[in-house]
Amino acid sequence: MKIALINENSQAAKNGMIHDALTTVAGELGHEVHNYGMYTADDTAQITYPMVGLLTGILLNSGAADFVVTGCGTGSGSMLAANAMPGVFCGLVIDPTDAFLFAQINDGNAIAMPYAKGFGWAAELNLQDCYRKLFEGESGVGYPKERAEIMAKNRSVLADLKAKTCHDMLTVLKNVDQDLLKSAIAGEKFEELFYKNSQDEEISNYLRGL
């Protein structure tokens, strides 16, 4: 699985710690981690939390990533921005129990975490524990197990509802503020990581044209 990491500007200084925790767990489980930044608070390309949503939508809808790990000060802004995108189902994860239940019940494709609120001593251990609960087992199995069938049905209903209420990603890209979009994909490693992993030629071609 290709896991993308995105940090917005208020918590960019923590990218190294977050990336280390994620790769420690993902590597053990055989997953790839693609770090889209921000890498430091001083990066030329600044990613705000609305841009996190756009970038998450681009990565998941193009197939460049299978799962996105992101966040902000509280996690809420990044979660809201990500869930505004078609095909994105992002949960707020604060602790390992959140991670486990999100994976088993909601079986989404992105999480947002708080990297300021409650982020103190041994925070890197909490990150590792969360990532382990997310990625170590099969997702969507259900919890409790006796409710697995109804949970799967509800996920399908939600996916259908979102498909009816959202435009496709290419339409979104054509209609959003183009300066905002250009800023969202201006990270120093975006081109290197995205174009070789994208599986959607139309999305790739549109972004290249910018």
Side-chain angles (χ1 to χ4, degrees), residues 130-187:
C130 287
Y131 301 145
R132 194 163 280 109
K133 287 296 184 183
L134 270 174
F135 301 124
E136 68 181 353
E138 180 183 357
S139 292
V141 173
Y143 184 87
K145 295 291 176 62
E146 58 268 22
R147 289 187 52 80
E149 185 175 347
I150 188 63
M151 289 171 181
K153 180 179 180 181
N154 285 335
R155 288 195 301 271
S156 177
V157 170
L158 179 60
D160 184 63
L161 180 62
K162 186 152 193 171
K164 297 289 195 301
T165 59
C166 288
H167 297 293
D168 65 276
M169 195 66 207
L170 187 60
T171 300
V172 171
L173 296 178
K174 290 179 178 179
N175 284 282
V176 297
D177 183 296
Q178 297 299 283
D179 288 334
L180 182 71
L181 176 56
K182 289 175 186 177
S183 296
I185 63 170

Short mmCIF file of all heavy atoms in Angstrom, two decimals, residues 130-187:
data_model
loop_
_atom_site.label_atom_id
_atom_site.label_comp_id
_atom_site.label_asym_id
_atom_site.label_seq_id
_atom_site.Cartn_x
_atom_site.Cartn_y
_atom_site.Cartn_z
N CYS A 130 -0.96 4.43 17.00
CA CYS A 130 -2.09 4.71 16.12
C CYS A 130 -1.89 4.09 14.74
O CYS A 130 -2.79 3.45 14.19
CB CYS A 130 -2.30 6.22 15.99
SG CYS A 130 -2.97 7.03 17.45
N TYR A 131 -0.71 4.28 14.18
CA TYR A 131 -0.44 3.75 12.84
C TYR A 131 -0.49 2.22 12.85
O TYR A 131 -0.96 1.60 11.89
CB TYR A 131 0.92 4.23 12.33
CG TYR A 131 1.04 5.74 12.26
CD1 TYR A 131 2.24 6.38 12.52
CD2 TYR A 131 -0.06 6.53 11.92
CE1 TYR A 131 2.35 7.76 12.45
CE2 TYR A 131 0.03 7.91 11.86
CZ TYR A 131 1.24 8.52 12.13
OH TYR A 131 1.36 9.88 12.06
N ARG A 132 -0.02 1.64 13.91
CA ARG A 132 -0.05 0.17 13.99
C ARG A 132 -1.49 -0.34 14.01
O ARG A 132 -1.83 -1.31 13.33
CB ARG A 132 0.73 -0.30 15.22
CG ARG A 132 1.04 -1.79 15.22
CD ARG A 132 2.14 -2.14 16.20
NE ARG A 132 3.47 -1.86 15.67
CZ ARG A 132 4.26 -0.87 16.09
NH1 ARG A 132 3.87 -0.07 17.04
NH2 ARG A 132 5.45 -0.69 15.55
N LYS A 133 -2.35 0.31 14.78
CA LYS A 133 -3.76 -0.09 14.83
C LYS A 133 -4.46 0.13 13.50
O LYS A 133 -5.38 -0.60 13.13
CB LYS A 133 -4.49 0.68 15.94
CG LYS A 133 -4.13 0.23 17.35
CD LYS A 133 -4.55 -1.21 17.61
CE LYS A 133 -4.28 -1.62 19.03
NZ LYS A 133 -4.62 -3.06 19.27
N LEU A 134 -4.00 1.11 12.76
CA LEU A 134 -4.60 1.38 11.45
C LEU A 134 -4.23 0.35 10.41
O LEU A 134 -5.07 -0.10 9.62
CB LEU A 134 -4.13 2.76 10.94
CG LEU A 134 -4.93 3.99 11.29
CD1 LEU A 134 -4.19 5.22 10.79
CD2 LEU A 134 -6.33 3.94 10.70
N PHE A 135 -2.95 -0.02 10.39
CA PHE A 135 -2.41 -0.74 9.23
C PHE A 135 -2.03 -2.20 9.49
O PHE A 135 -1.72 -2.91 8.53
CB PHE A 135 -1.19 0.00 8.70
CG PHE A 135 -1.46 1.42 8.28
CD1 PHE A 135 -0.73 2.47 8.82
CD2 PHE A 135 -2.45 1.70 7.36
CE1 PHE A 135 -0.98 3.79 8.43
CE2 PHE A 135 -2.72 3.01 6.96
CZ PHE A 135 -1.98 4.05 7.50
N GLU A 136 -2.07 -2.68 10.72
CA GLU A 136 -1.53 -4.02 10.97
C GLU A 136 -2.47 -5.15 10.58
O GLU A 136 -2.04 -6.27 10.37
CB GLU A 136 -1.13 -4.17 12.44
CG GLU A 136 -2.30 -4.18 13.41
CD GLU A 136 -1.84 -4.29 14.87
OE1 GLU A 136 -0.64 -4.49 15.09
OE2 GLU A 136 -2.68 -4.16 15.76
N GLY A 137 -3.76 -4.89 10.53
CA GLY A 137 -4.70 -5.96 10.22
C GLY A 137 -5.59 -5.61 9.04
O GLY A 137 -5.45 -4.56 8.41
N GLU A 138 -6.54 -6.47 8.75
CA GLU A 138 -7.49 -6.23 7.68
C GLU A 138 -8.50 -5.17 8.12
O GLU A 138 -9.07 -5.27 9.21
CB GLU A 138 -8.22 -7.53 7.33
CG GLU A 138 -9.23 -7.38 6.22
CD GLU A 138 -9.98 -8.67 5.95
OE1 GLU A 138 -9.67 -9.69 6.60
OE2 GLU A 138 -10.89 -8.64 5.09
N SER A 139 -8.73 -4.18 7.28
CA SER A 139 -9.70 -3.13 7.61
C SER A 139 -11.11 -3.57 7.24
O SER A 139 -11.31 -4.44 6.40
CB SER A 139 -9.35 -1.83 6.87
OG SER A 139 -8.16 -1.28 7.35
N GLY A 140 -12.08 -2.94 7.87
CA GLY A 140 -13.48 -3.18 7.53
C GLY A 140 -14.05 -4.48 8.03
O GLY A 140 -15.13 -4.89 7.60
N VAL A 141 -13.37 -5.12 8.96
CA VAL A 141 -13.86 -6.40 9.50
C VAL A 141 -15.07 -6.18 10.40
O VAL A 141 -15.94 -7.03 10.50
CB VAL A 141 -12.73 -7.13 10.26
CG1 VAL A 141 -13.25 -8.37 10.96
CG2 VAL A 141 -11.62 -7.50 9.30
N GLY A 142 -15.12 -5.00 11.02
CA GLY A 142 -16.26 -4.69 11.89
C GLY A 142 -15.93 -4.85 13.35
O GLY A 142 -15.12 -5.70 13.74
N TYR A 143 -16.54 -3.99 14.16
CA TYR A 143 -16.42 -4.10 15.62
C TYR A 143 -17.66 -3.51 16.25
O TYR A 143 -17.99 -2.36 15.97
CB TYR A 143 -15.17 -3.38 16.13
CG TYR A 143 -14.97 -3.57 17.61
CD1 TYR A 143 -14.27 -4.67 18.09
CD2 TYR A 143 -15.53 -2.69 18.53
CE1 TYR A 143 -14.12 -4.87 19.46
CE2 TYR A 143 -15.38 -2.89 19.89
CZ TYR A 143 -14.68 -3.98 20.34
OH TYR A 143 -14.55 -4.19 21.69
N PRO A 144 -18.34 -4.28 17.09
CA PRO A 144 -18.13 -5.72 17.33
C PRO A 144 -18.47 -6.54 16.09
O PRO A 144 -19.21 -6.09 15.22
CB PRO A 144 -19.08 -6.02 18.49
CG PRO A 144 -20.15 -4.97 18.38
CD PRO A 144 -19.48 -3.74 17.86
N LYS A 145 -17.91 -7.74 16.03
CA LYS A 145 -17.99 -8.56 14.83
C LYS A 145 -19.44 -8.85 14.41
O LYS A 145 -19.74 -8.97 13.23
CB LYS A 145 -17.25 -9.89 15.04
CG LYS A 145 -15.74 -9.73 15.24
CD LYS A 145 -15.05 -9.28 13.98
CE LYS A 145 -13.57 -9.03 14.19
NZ LYS A 145 -12.83 -10.21 14.59
N GLU A 146 -20.34 -8.95 15.40
CA GLU A 146 -21.72 -9.28 15.06
C GLU A 146 -22.42 -8.15 14.30
O GLU A 146 -23.50 -8.36 13.73
CB GLU A 146 -22.52 -9.66 16.31
CG GLU A 146 -22.57 -8.60 17.39
CD GLU A 146 -21.47 -8.75 18.42
OE1 GLU A 146 -20.43 -9.38 18.10
OE2 GLU A 146 -21.66 -8.25 19.54
N ARG A 147 -21.82 -6.97 14.28
CA ARG A 147 -22.41 -5.85 13.53
C ARG A 147 -21.67 -5.59 12.21
O ARG A 147 -21.92 -4.58 11.55
CB ARG A 147 -22.41 -4.58 14.39
CG ARG A 147 -23.42 -4.63 15.53
CD ARG A 147 -23.51 -3.30 16.26
NE ARG A 147 -23.75 -2.16 15.38
CZ ARG A 147 -24.93 -1.82 14.88
NH1 ARG A 147 -26.00 -2.56 15.17
NH2 ARG A 147 -25.05 -0.76 14.11
N ALA A 148 -20.80 -6.50 11.83
CA ALA A 148 -19.98 -6.29 10.64
C ALA A 148 -20.83 -6.11 9.39
O ALA A 148 -20.54 -5.24 8.55
CB ALA A 148 -19.01 -7.46 10.46
N GLU A 149 -21.88 -6.88 9.24
CA GLU A 149 -22.69 -6.81 8.03
C GLU A 149 -23.39 -5.46 7.89
O GLU A 149 -23.37 -4.85 6.81
CB GLU A 149 -23.73 -7.94 8.03
CG GLU A 149 -24.53 -8.02 6.74
CD GLU A 149 -25.48 -9.21 6.70
OE1 GLU A 149 -25.35 -10.10 7.55
OE2 GLU A 149 -26.35 -9.22 5.81
N ILE A 150 -24.01 -4.98 8.96
CA ILE A 150 -24.70 -3.70 8.90
C ILE A 150 -23.71 -2.55 8.72
O ILE A 150 -23.99 -1.56 8.03
CB ILE A 150 -25.59 -3.48 10.15
CG1 ILE A 150 -26.45 -2.22 9.98
CG2 ILE A 150 -24.75 -3.37 11.41
CD1 ILE A 150 -27.43 -2.27 8.85
N MET A 151 -22.50 -2.68 9.29
CA MET A 151 -21.48 -1.65 9.10
C MET A 151 -21.04 -1.57 7.65
O MET A 151 -20.87 -0.48 7.10
CB MET A 151 -20.28 -1.93 10.01
CG MET A 151 -20.55 -1.69 11.47
SD MET A 151 -19.20 -2.27 12.52
CE MET A 151 -19.85 -1.87 14.14
N ALA A 152 -20.85 -2.72 7.03
CA ALA A 152 -20.47 -2.75 5.61
C ALA A 152 -21.56 -2.15 4.75
O ALA A 152 -21.29 -1.41 3.79
CB ALA A 152 -20.18 -4.18 5.18
N LYS A 153 -22.81 -2.42 5.08
CA LYS A 153 -23.94 -1.86 4.33
C LYS A 153 -23.96 -0.34 4.47
O LYS A 153 -24.15 0.38 3.48
CB LYS A 153 -25.25 -2.46 4.84
CG LYS A 153 -26.47 -1.92 4.10
CD LYS A 153 -27.75 -2.56 4.61
CE LYS A 153 -28.96 -1.99 3.86
NZ LYS A 153 -30.24 -2.59 4.35
N ASN A 154 -23.73 0.16 5.68
CA ASN A 154 -23.74 1.60 5.90
C ASN A 154 -22.59 2.30 5.17
O ASN A 154 -22.74 3.42 4.68
CB ASN A 154 -23.68 1.92 7.39
CG ASN A 154 -25.02 1.68 8.08
OD1 ASN A 154 -26.07 1.72 7.45
ND2 ASN A 154 -24.98 1.41 9.38
N ARG A 155 -21.42 1.63 5.10
CA ARG A 155 -20.31 2.20 4.34
C ARG A 155 -20.67 2.34 2.87
O ARG A 155 -20.33 3.32 2.20
CB ARG A 155 -19.05 1.34 4.49
CG ARG A 155 -18.39 1.42 5.86
CD ARG A 155 -16.98 0.86 5.83
NE ARG A 155 -16.91 -0.52 5.41
CZ ARG A 155 -17.01 -1.57 6.23
NH1 ARG A 155 -17.18 -1.37 7.53
NH2 ARG A 155 -16.90 -2.79 5.78
N SER A 156 -21.35 1.34 2.35
CA SER A 156 -21.77 1.37 0.96
C SER A 156 -22.79 2.48 0.71
O SER A 156 -22.72 3.19 -0.30
CB SER A 156 -22.36 0.01 0.57
OG SER A 156 -22.83 0.02 -0.76
N VAL A 157 -23.71 2.64 1.64
CA VAL A 157 -24.72 3.71 1.53
C VAL A 157 -24.03 5.07 1.55
O VAL A 157 -24.36 5.97 0.76
CB VAL A 157 -25.75 3.60 2.67
CG1 VAL A 157 -26.64 4.84 2.71
CG2 VAL A 157 -26.61 2.35 2.51
N LEU A 158 -23.06 5.24 2.46
CA LEU A 158 -22.35 6.51 2.55
C LEU A 158 -21.55 6.79 1.27
O LEU A 158 -21.53 7.93 0.77
CB LEU A 158 -21.41 6.51 3.76
CG LEU A 158 -20.59 7.79 3.96
CD1 LEU A 158 -21.50 9.00 4.14
CD2 LEU A 158 -19.64 7.64 5.15
N ALA A 159 -20.89 5.77 0.75
CA ALA A 159 -20.12 5.95 -0.48
C ALA A 159 -21.02 6.36 -1.63
O ALA A 159 -20.68 7.24 -2.43
CB ALA A 159 -19.37 4.66 -0.82
N ASP A 160 -22.20 5.75 -1.72
CA ASP A 160 -23.15 6.09 -2.77
C ASP A 160 -23.67 7.51 -2.57
O ASP A 160 -23.80 8.28 -3.53
CB ASP A 160 -24.31 5.09 -2.77
CG ASP A 160 -25.29 5.34 -3.90
OD1 ASP A 160 -24.90 5.23 -5.07
OD2 ASP A 160 -26.46 5.68 -3.60
N LEU A 161 -23.94 7.89 -1.32
CA LEU A 161 -24.42 9.23 -1.01
C LEU A 161 -23.38 10.28 -1.42
O LEU A 161 -23.71 11.29 -2.03
CB LEU A 161 -24.72 9.33 0.48
CG LEU A 161 -25.24 10.67 1.01
CD1 LEU A 161 -26.57 11.01 0.36
CD2 LEU A 161 -25.37 10.62 2.52
N LYS A 162 -22.11 10.00 -1.09
CA LYS A 162 -21.06 10.95 -1.43
C LYS A 162 -20.89 11.06 -2.94
O LYS A 162 -20.66 12.15 -3.47
CB LYS A 162 -19.74 10.55 -0.77
CG LYS A 162 -18.65 11.59 -0.96
CD LYS A 162 -17.65 11.57 0.16
CE LYS A 162 -16.76 12.79 0.10
NZ LYS A 162 -15.91 12.93 1.28
N ALA A 163 -20.99 9.95 -3.63
CA ALA A 163 -20.88 9.97 -5.09
C ALA A 163 -21.98 10.83 -5.73
O ALA A 163 -21.76 11.48 -6.76
CB ALA A 163 -20.94 8.55 -5.64
N LYS A 164 -23.15 10.85 -5.10
CA LYS A 164 -24.28 11.62 -5.63
C LYS A 164 -24.14 13.11 -5.30
O LYS A 164 -24.67 13.96 -6.01
CB LYS A 164 -25.59 11.11 -5.03
CG LYS A 164 -25.95 9.67 -5.37
CD LYS A 164 -26.34 9.48 -6.82
CE LYS A 164 -27.03 8.15 -7.07
NZ LYS A 164 -26.23 6.99 -6.71
N THR A 165 -23.45 13.44 -4.21
CA THR A 165 -23.38 14.83 -3.77
C THR A 165 -22.10 15.54 -4.16
O THR A 165 -21.97 16.75 -3.95
CB THR A 165 -23.54 14.92 -2.23
OG1 THR A 165 -22.50 14.17 -1.59
CG2 THR A 165 -24.89 14.39 -1.78
N CYS A 166 -21.13 14.83 -4.73
CA CYS A 166 -19.84 15.41 -5.10
C CYS A 166 -19.62 15.33 -6.61
O CYS A 166 -20.05 14.38 -7.26
CB CYS A 166 -18.69 14.68 -4.41
SG CYS A 166 -18.55 15.00 -2.65
N HIS A 167 -18.92 16.32 -7.16
CA HIS A 167 -18.43 16.22 -8.52
C HIS A 167 -17.26 15.24 -8.57
O HIS A 167 -16.65 14.93 -7.55
CB HIS A 167 -17.95 17.59 -9.01
CG HIS A 167 -19.02 18.63 -9.09
ND1 HIS A 167 -20.07 18.55 -9.97
CD2 HIS A 167 -19.20 19.77 -8.38
CE1 HIS A 167 -20.86 19.60 -9.82
NE2 HIS A 167 -20.36 20.36 -8.86
N ASP A 168 -16.92 14.76 -9.76
CA ASP A 168 -15.70 13.96 -9.90
C ASP A 168 -14.49 14.86 -9.71
O ASP A 168 -14.58 16.09 -9.81
CB ASP A 168 -15.66 13.29 -11.28
CG ASP A 168 -15.57 14.32 -12.39
OD1 ASP A 168 -16.63 14.84 -12.80
OD2 ASP A 168 -14.45 14.63 -12.83
N MET A 169 -13.32 14.27 -9.44
CA MET A 169 -12.15 15.04 -9.05
C MET A 169 -11.67 15.96 -10.17
O MET A 169 -11.24 17.08 -9.91
CB MET A 169 -11.01 14.12 -8.60
CG MET A 169 -9.90 14.84 -7.85
SD MET A 169 -10.52 15.50 -6.27
CE MET A 169 -9.41 16.89 -6.03
N LEU A 170 -11.75 15.52 -11.41
CA LEU A 170 -11.30 16.37 -12.50
C LEU A 170 -12.16 17.64 -12.60
O LEU A 170 -11.63 18.74 -12.81
CB LEU A 170 -11.33 15.60 -13.83
CG LEU A 170 -10.72 16.32 -15.03
CD1 LEU A 170 -9.24 16.64 -14.79
CD2 LEU A 170 -10.87 15.47 -16.29
N THR A 171 -13.45 17.49 -12.42
CA THR A 171 -14.34 18.65 -12.41
C THR A 171 -14.00 19.58 -11.26
O THR A 171 -13.99 20.81 -11.41
CB THR A 171 -15.81 18.21 -12.32
OG1 THR A 171 -16.13 17.39 -13.45
CG2 THR A 171 -16.75 19.39 -12.27
N VAL A 172 -13.71 19.00 -10.10
CA VAL A 172 -13.30 19.81 -8.95
C VAL A 172 -12.05 20.62 -9.29
O VAL A 172 -11.99 21.83 -9.04
CB VAL A 172 -13.02 18.92 -7.72
CG1 VAL A 172 -12.39 19.72 -6.59
CG2 VAL A 172 -14.31 18.26 -7.24
N LEU A 173 -11.06 19.96 -9.88
CA LEU A 173 -9.80 20.63 -10.20
C LEU A 173 -10.01 21.78 -11.18
O LEU A 173 -9.35 22.82 -11.09
CB LEU A 173 -8.80 19.63 -10.77
CG LEU A 173 -8.35 18.52 -9.82
CD1 LEU A 173 -7.39 17.58 -10.52
CD2 LEU A 173 -7.72 19.09 -8.56
N LYS A 174 -10.91 21.61 -12.12
CA LYS A 174 -11.16 22.64 -13.13
C LYS A 174 -11.92 23.83 -12.56
O LYS A 174 -11.85 24.93 -13.12
CB LYS A 174 -11.92 22.05 -14.31
CG LYS A 174 -11.10 21.08 -15.15
CD LYS A 174 -11.92 20.50 -16.28
CE LYS A 174 -11.08 19.57 -17.15
NZ LYS A 174 -11.87 18.97 -18.26
N ASN A 175 -12.65 23.61 -11.46
CA ASN A 175 -13.53 24.66 -10.95
C ASN A 175 -13.03 25.36 -9.69
O ASN A 175 -13.55 26.43 -9.35
CB ASN A 175 -14.92 24.08 -10.68
CG ASN A 175 -15.71 23.87 -11.97
OD1 ASN A 175 -16.25 24.81 -12.54
ND2 ASN A 175 -15.75 22.64 -12.45
N VAL A 176 -12.06 24.78 -9.01
CA VAL A 176 -11.54 25.45 -7.81
C VAL A 176 -10.66 26.62 -8.22
O VAL A 176 -10.24 26.74 -9.39
CB VAL A 176 -10.74 24.49 -6.91
CG1 VAL A 176 -11.61 23.37 -6.39
CG2 VAL A 176 -9.51 23.93 -7.64
N ASP A 177 -10.39 27.50 -7.27
CA ASP A 177 -9.46 28.61 -7.49
C ASP A 177 -8.12 28.04 -7.99
O ASP A 177 -7.48 27.25 -7.30
CB ASP A 177 -9.27 29.36 -6.18
CG ASP A 177 -8.37 30.57 -6.33
OD1 ASP A 177 -7.17 30.38 -6.64
OD2 ASP A 177 -8.83 31.70 -6.11
N GLN A 178 -7.72 28.42 -9.18
CA GLN A 178 -6.53 27.82 -9.80
C GLN A 178 -5.25 28.21 -9.08
O GLN A 178 -4.28 27.45 -9.07
CB GLN A 178 -6.46 28.18 -11.28
CG GLN A 178 -7.63 27.62 -12.08
CD GLN A 178 -7.73 26.10 -12.06
OE1 GLN A 178 -6.98 25.43 -12.76
NE2 GLN A 178 -8.64 25.56 -11.26
N ASP A 179 -5.21 29.39 -8.48
CA ASP A 179 -4.03 29.77 -7.70
C ASP A 179 -3.91 28.90 -6.44
O ASP A 179 -2.81 28.51 -6.05
CB ASP A 179 -4.10 31.25 -7.30
CG ASP A 179 -3.86 32.17 -8.50
OD1 ASP A 179 -3.17 31.73 -9.45
OD2 ASP A 179 -4.36 33.30 -8.47
N LEU A 180 -5.06 28.61 -5.83
CA LEU A 180 -5.07 27.72 -4.66
C LEU A 180 -4.57 26.34 -5.06
O LEU A 180 -3.76 25.72 -4.36
CB LEU A 180 -6.48 27.63 -4.07
CG LEU A 180 -6.63 26.76 -2.81
CD1 LEU A 180 -5.98 27.44 -1.61
CD2 LEU A 180 -8.10 26.48 -2.53
N LEU A 181 -5.04 25.85 -6.20
CA LEU A 181 -4.64 24.53 -6.68
C LEU A 181 -3.14 24.50 -6.97
O LEU A 181 -2.44 23.54 -6.59
CB LEU A 181 -5.44 24.17 -7.93
CG LEU A 181 -5.09 22.86 -8.63
CD1 LEU A 181 -5.18 21.68 -7.67
CD2 LEU A 181 -6.00 22.64 -9.84
N LYS A 182 -2.64 25.53 -7.65
CA LYS A 182 -1.21 25.58 -7.95
C LYS A 182 -0.38 25.57 -6.67
O LYS A 182 0.66 24.90 -6.60
CB LYS A 182 -0.89 26.83 -8.76
CG LYS A 182 -1.41 26.80 -10.18
CD LYS A 182 -1.16 28.14 -10.88
CE LYS A 182 -1.79 28.19 -12.25
NZ LYS A 182 -1.61 29.50 -12.90
N SER A 183 -0.85 26.28 -5.66
CA SER A 183 -0.13 26.30 -4.38
C SER A 183 -0.16 24.93 -3.69
O SER A 183 0.83 24.51 -3.09
CB SER A 183 -0.74 27.36 -3.45
OG SER A 183 -0.58 28.65 -3.98
N ALA A 184 -1.29 24.23 -3.83
CA ALA A 184 -1.43 22.93 -3.18
C ALA A 184 -0.47 21.88 -3.75
O ALA A 184 -0.07 20.95 -3.04
CB ALA A 184 -2.87 22.43 -3.30
N ILE A 185 -0.09 22.05 -5.02
CA ILE A 185 0.79 21.05 -5.65
C ILE A 185 2.21 21.60 -5.88
O ILE A 185 2.98 21.05 -6.66
CB ILE A 185 0.21 20.54 -6.98
CG1 ILE A 185 0.08 21.67 -8.01
CG2 ILE A 185 -1.14 19.87 -6.74
CD1 ILE A 185 -0.27 21.19 -9.40
N ALA A 186 2.54 22.67 -5.15
CA ALA A 186 3.83 23.32 -5.37
C ALA A 186 4.96 22.75 -4.51
O ALA A 186 6.09 23.24 -4.59
CB ALA A 186 3.71 24.83 -5.10
N GLY A 187 4.67 21.72 -3.71
CA GLY A 187 5.70 21.14 -2.86
C GLY A 187 6.90 20.65 -3.65
O GLY A 187 6.76 20.21 -4.80
#
